[in-house]
Structures are given as structure tokens and as C-alpha cells.
Amino acid sequence: MNAPHDPNSVGAVVAQKARFDSPLKLRSGAELPAYELAYETYGELNAARSNAVLVCHALNASHHVAGYYENDKGNVGWWDNLVGPGKPLDPRRFFIVGSNYVGSCFGSTGPASINPKTGKPWGADFPVVTVEDWVEAQARLADRLGIERFAAVIGGSLGAMQALQWTLSYPERVRHAVVVAAAAKLTPQNIAFNEVARQAIMTDPDFHGGHYYEKGVVPTRGLRIARMIGHITYISGEAMAEKFGRALRRGQPGFDFDIDFEIESYLRYQGDKFSTYFDANTYLRITKALDYFDPAADYGGDLTAALARAKAAFLLVSFKSDWRFTPARSREMAKALLDNHRIVSYLEIDAPGGHDAFLLEDERYHAGLRSYFANIDL
Amino acid sequence: MRPDLAAIVQWVPKGARVLDLGCGDGSLLRSLWHEREAPGYGVEIDDDNVLACVANDVNVLQVDLESGLSLFADRSFDCVILSETLQTIHRTEFLMREMLRVGREVIVSFPNFGHWRARVQVVLGHMPVSEALPYEWYETPNVHHCTINDFEDLCRRIGVRIRERLALHEGRPVTTLPNLFGSLAVYRCTAD
């Protein structure tokens, strides 16, 4: 990760919040009476307002895409290796917006926010939100920032689903969609992993049906396990073997249930860390948003018909070692776009990192993004 | 520009939708766009070539030709081009059929193994190495060499109609005994 003294860093950044007082109608039929959206921006919107790029984040990230906070210099943005002066997505050329989504626990209105009707945290009563809802909320942010049309919308994983949904909800507002490590819908296997994670949270005695805030507790055990399961699916077996092997923490088997293998230590560490900063109600909702995303569902499963209304040019990127969202999922999207005679390029990167490869700095991957962004006319 | 590519550009109708298989750095697609206003996509497997295509602002799909053209719908292109790639393909017949499924017209170019210099080298006991066949046998990516006669036999056998043929040597068309004096062959074919 880049240290704050990195000359190619966007430098110190400030998170901002936009408040929207008109209700947000959700796909579920529920309504958010008002909401706040946390965001950050890097670079300047040009006079023609033609250089805006929206960066959508995945499950555990936030609007803090690049740079660091003055009072917390170690808190470097999650896509800092991509976004910065001299980096593939360069704020000297683009006005880059990192947007959070509703239901998050990083500053936007979410389950831990106060429900105006009760004066207490929403908790379990916070509605289930979807990718479509997030795009609606972000579209209002774009209006607020004076962005009629994005030069590009980019995201990886769940962020890529948002980028894709942008091209469907607002075909005229997206010129380029950069859709990385994506799927147009989850497989039953993906949903299965999500369900195990949710069960881990909901069966934690500290969950209290989602109203744990008022009890002053956190379903830490559930969150830990949810995160451990997630991590197993984000890394390829190959990368895991490479990184951890069968190395024994104590040099020899302990013949007990303390940590033996390095991978156990890693998973426990990741689980512990996650459970200190992530909200369980948010986790439940985000995994549901993933599960529900399926733009082809309204077209009898026909993705070609579903993507017919997209007008953007697409760059799809997948990673060969990603077994969570495999290259086959990206090829499905490529096919649907080709069927519709859309402009599309597809890169299949032979990187070992698994699903998380989209966050890493593979030379070919970043070279592709760099050229793609450089070729976007402003 | 490579002589077979110059011929191919001439054969592609204005505004045709083009699919270039094994498109390299995308230079043919760029020429087709500039000279023929023909929009297109390239298919390429090599990382460096794929990245060059992106840098050249050419649509490129990084998929393996050997697994077929399943990304592409029937008759979704006016022209499918396979330039100097035929000889590197393992499943030649399968790919030919796939090309004819996807495109109304297919343009294929390949080095002619029947060229007299190749024949002489074989007679003298060596695998041919020449401008058209630049690799030593132990480093060649080519797996299926053929002569003009061989290719035409295959076309007959699988029901491909040859609409036009151009044999070239050192960039110039060869009309006398093309299988002997042409080092490069370019074909325009359709399904029967």
C-alpha cells in the first residue's frame, strides 16, 4: 500500500456528505424518507463538465478511494494504486467521484443511522436496498455535483454491478463503463456463501434480531465468521497456497485447537479486524443486494435483451484465477453486449490473486486501464 | 502495411462490420476504420497484443480462438478475417466452420508452404525458413502448414465456396502457377 509520502498520491482528502430530503423510492417498495450520501472527489470538473468519473466500491470499501486523511495518514484509500497523479485514473485529467451507498456503515444513511420516525437507530427496520437503489441515490449526487454525463463509471465486483446498472438505469449519462471482476448475476454457489455469512451473523446471540445497537453489543462472532468465509472466496487456492502454504505457526502441530496453520491465523486476523469496523446489519443488506442483482430477470433470463438499452462503451476485465466471479461471467456480458452491437473490449488477465486481483497492481491490468482512460475523449 | 493486409482492406466493403481473428496490435482494424469506415472487433489471446489494441483504441476481446467463436451470434458480421493465423490453429476445420457461421464472408490469408523456395528447402533436407515462414522448426507457433492446393481441397471438402483468390510474392500478385510462385495466399470465401 502506498504511504502518504507517495508522490503519486492525491494527498490529503476530505470526505463530504450530501443530504437529500426528497424520499428515495426503493426497489422493494419501501421508501427512505431522506438520506445522506458520503463521497469524496479528486481533481476538478472541467468547464464542459465532460471529465467526471464515478468510482463505485465493493462490499467492505467506501467512498474513500484514494489519498489519506490529514488526521489519519495511515488510512489510505482502497483504490489508491489506481487513482492519483501519474496513475491509470489521473485526477489531473479527470474529476473523480468516490461515492458511498445507502445502507453502508461508512457515513451514508444506513442501519445505524437514526430512524426519523422513532428517534432510534433503524437497526433491523432499515430497508433492504439494491444495486438499482444505489444507482438512483448516486444519480441525485451526480445532479448535485453538476454532472450530467459521466465520462466513465468504474467499479470492481459489487462496484462493477453498480457500473453496469448505471448503464441500464441511465444509458444517456454514462459514456464508458469499466466493469472489473464482475458478474451480471450471482451463481447459486455465490448466494450459498452469502447465506452462510448471513446465518453466522443472525445466529450470533448478540444480534438481537438486528436491534443490537440499543443493547450496546455487536454480533462480533457472526461478523468474524462472515468475513472469514468471504476471504476464502476472494483469494484463489493457488494464491492461498503460495502465501500461506502449510506453514505451522508454532513450528510443529499443537494437537489442540489453537492456531496451527498460517492460513488460520490470517483468517482470524481478518475476521477480528473486520468485526471492529463493519456493521452487521450493513453486511446483511449488502450481501442481499448482491444476491438480488440480476438485470436479466425481467427479461426471462435473457441478458442480451436486458443490456439492449445500455449505450455506453464497455471495458470488461476478468481474472483467470477468480473463482467467485469467473471469466465465464464476464464473457456472458461481453456476448450480450456484442449481440447488441455495443462497443466492448474484454481483457482476461492471467493474474493469480483470485477475486481480489481487481484491487492489486497487476502490470497488464493497470496498463489496460491506463490506455483505456487515456483514450477517453473529454 | 503487410501485403496481405493491403489486399484485405480492398476486399472489405465500406461500412462492413468486421471481426478480425488473431488481430495482433489492431493495426488492420485501425486501417479498416480509417479507410473503409468499417467498425470492428479483434480477437487476440496474447497479452502484449491485447494491450496494444486497447492503446490503439481498437475493440479487442481476449479469448482463445481454439474454443470457438461462442461470443458471436450467427451472421453477426459482414466479414470475418483470419490473417496469417490459420497455420497456428489446432482445430482448423472447426474454426473455419465457426467463421462461416458468424460472418457472411470470410477472408483468410496464410503463408503458402507450396512456394518453390519452401519446396527446395525441403528437398535439400530442411524445414523452410523464409520471409513468409520466418521461424525455425523448434520455435514456430505454426502447427498446421498448408499449400494453396491443400487449402482449396479443405474448402471443397467442407463446402466453402471460394469467391476470390490472390497469391502474392514480395507484395506483388502472382498469376502464373500461384502454388509454386506465391509465398502468401489470400482468399475471400462464403458458405455454399
Side-chain angles (χ1 to χ4, degrees):
Chain A
M1 196 160 278
N2 293 286
H5 60 261
D6 171 8
N8 301 112
S9 167
V10 298
V13 298
V14 179
Q16 304 177 71
K17 266 185 205 183
R19 186 175 167 80
F20 301 90
D21 285 315
S22 48
L24 184 69
K25 191 130 182 66
L26 304 173
R27 192 180 136 194
S28 66
E31 209 173 69
L32 263 186
Y35 66 95
E36 284 188 322
L37 211 51
Y39 68 98
E40 290 181 8
T41 68
Y42 323 109
E44 302 287 334
L45 189 60
N46 63 10
R49 301 180 174 205
S50 62
N51 69 333
V53 174
L54 178 66
V55 180
C56 303
H57 68 81
L59 199 149
N60 70 318
S62 73
H63 48 286
H64 185 35
V65 175
Y68 55 89
Y69 297 130
E70 201 54 80
N71 61 358
D72 185 8
K73 291 193 166 130
N75 186 354
V76 175
W78 62 273
W79 222 349
D80 197 74
N81 62 24
L82 186 84
V83 177
K87 293 178 185 175
L89 183 48
D90 193 328
R92 293 173 303 190
R93 183 154 189 262
F94 292 104
F95 176 59
I96 300 156
V97 181
S99 171
N100 196 204
Y101 42 62
V102 287
S104 174
C105 51
F106 293 117
S108 300
T109 300
S113 310
I114 300 298
N115 180 349
K117 274 197 191 134
T118 62
K120 290 198 285 189
W122 282 90
D125 300 331
F126 193 83
V128 170
V129 282
T130 63
V131 172
E132 291 88 333
D133 302 331
W134 292 340
V135 169
E136 274 319 300
Q138 287 166 351
R140 292 193 194 169
L141 176 64
D143 295 341
R144 184 78 54 91
L145 295 173
I147 301 161
E148 201 175 307
R149 207 165 175 225
F150 283 104
V153 179
I154 178 174
S157 187
L158 178 57
M161 289 175 168
Q162 292 164 67
L164 177 61
Q165 186 58 43
W166 258 97
T167 70
L168 303 177
S169 296
Y170 293 99
E172 309 288 349
R173 299 187 75 170
V174 186
R175 285 163 55 211
H176 294 265
V178 181
V179 173
V180 184
K185 66 173 180 227
L186 294 196
T187 62
Q189 187 190 40
N190 294 150
I191 296 170
F193 282 119
N194 283 344
E195 174 57 7
V196 177
R198 284 190 294 266
Q199 285 298 324
I201 289 169
M202 292 188 295
T203 56
D204 185 318
D206 285 337
F207 182 61
H208 298 288
H211 291 292
Y212 47 87
Y213 310 109
E214 48 213 87
K215 309 265 184 192
V217 291
V218 172
T220 311
R221 283 160 288 185
L223 269 171
R224 278 180 86 233
I225 295 168
R227 186 57 171 169
M228 288 164 99
I229 294 160
H231 255 281
I232 296 169
T233 70
Y234 303 150
I235 318 173
S236 67
E238 186 192 357
M240 213 183 254
E242 169 105 354
K243 197 166 173 186
F244 305 106
R246 288 180 54 88
L248 289 166
R249 205 74 202 291
R250 291 173 282 177
Q252 53 191 3
F255 299 106
D256 56 21
F257 299 97
D258 209 347
I259 293 173
D260 275 316
F261 296 97
E262 284 292 348
I263 181 64
E264 297 173 294
S265 161
Y266 174 78
L267 288 178
R268 289 190 196 191
Y269 169 76
Q270 291 295 342
D272 287 339
K273 193 170 78 170
F274 189 69
S275 66
T276 62
Y277 73 84
F278 210 84
D279 180 67
N281 280 320
T282 290
Y283 199 91
L284 296 180
R285 280 156 185 76
I286 293 179
T287 55
K288 272 289 172 191
L290 275 158
D291 293 358
Y292 286 139
F293 185 68
D294 181 8
D298 289 341
Y299 297 84
D302 182 349
L303 188 61
T304 297
L307 301 193
R309 64 187 189 279
K311 292 191 171 151
F314 281 78
L315 175 65
L316 308 176
V317 184
S318 78
F319 301 93
K320 279 191 178 158
S321 59
D322 183 352
W323 60 278
R324 177 132 181 167
F325 290 177
T326 61
R329 301 276 81 77
S330 287
R331 287 196 293 261
E332 273 168 13
M333 287 184 277
K335 175 164 181 30
L337 292 164
L338 286 164
D339 286 345
N340 284 303
H341 294 197
R342 291 294 171 270
I343 294 173
V344 53
S345 281
Y346 168 56
L347 309 188
E348 196 170 297
I349 307 284
D350 192 5
H355 188 56
D356 267 354
F358 86 88
L359 296 167
L360 306 176
E361 213 177 322
D362 180 272
E363 210 177 295
R364 293 154 296 180
Y365 165 43
H366 273 204
L369 292 187
R370 182 184 291 276
S371 300
Y372 193 82
F373 280 114
N375 281 331
I376 292 178
D377 298 322
L378 299 186
Chain B
M1 185 188 274
R2 239 170 51 199
D4 60 321
L5 299 187
I8 290 169
V9 171
Q10 296 311 307
W11 280 353
V12 170
K14 225 176 164 188
R17 262 174 69 80
V18 178
L19 180 63
D20 184 7
L21 305 177
C23 66
D25 65 2
S27 47
L28 174 62
L29 284 163
R30 268 193 90 82
S31 308
L32 287 170
W33 176 244
H34 288 127
E35 292 178 34
R36 285 283 185 248
E37 291 162 37
Y41 303 84
V43 173
E44 179 57 57
I45 190 73
D46 176 75
D47 283 334
D48 291 337
N49 279 334
V50 168
L51 294 176
C53 286
V54 178
N56 285 330
D57 210 2
V58 164
N59 303 322
V60 64
L61 303 149
Q62 190 168 25
V63 293
D64 187 2
L65 287 179
E66 299 286 357
S67 53
L69 304 178
S70 56
L71 283 185
F72 310 103
D74 295 359
R75 299 272 150 158
S76 51
F77 288 92
D78 299 306
C79 249
V80 179
I81 299 167
L82 185 72
S83 67
E84 293 226 34
T85 302
L86 182 78
Q87 73 280 3
T88 68
I89 300 295
H90 284 88
R91 301 166 75 193
T92 312
E93 185 182 328
F94 170 66
L95 185 62
M96 284 292 288
R97 288 187 196 282
E98 277 287 88
M99 289 167 70
L100 287 160
R101 173 182 69 78
V102 164
R104 270 172 261 280
E105 235 176 55
V106 164
I107 298 174
V108 177
S109 74
F110 57 88
N112 177 28
F113 210 77
H115 184 248
W116 68 269
R117 274 163 63 179
R119 298 190 198 195
V120 168
Q121 288 182 61
V122 171
V123 166
L124 293 177
H126 289 283
M127 284 298 283
V129 178
S130 66
E131 200 183 317
L133 301 165
Y135 301 100
E136 292 288 352
W137 65 273
Y138 49 82
E139 58 178 15
T140 180
N142 300 332
V143 293
H144 281 161
H145 277 304
C146 69
T147 68
I148 283 181
N149 291 349
D150 291 333
F151 180 74
E152 292 181 9
D153 281 349
L154 175 70
C155 289
R156 255 190 300 279
R157 197 168 67 70
I158 64 176
V160 174
R161 183 181 293 184
I162 295 167
R163 299 285 178 170
E164 232 169 318
R165 180 185 74 191
L166 183 64
L168 294 162
H169 183 64
E170 290 176 346
R172 275 186 288 276
V174 173
T175 45
T176 343
L177 298 174
N179 197 31
L180 198 57
F181 295 116
S183 52
L184 195 63
V186 196
Y187 285 85
R188 191 165 68 80
C189 312
T190 58
D192 241 350

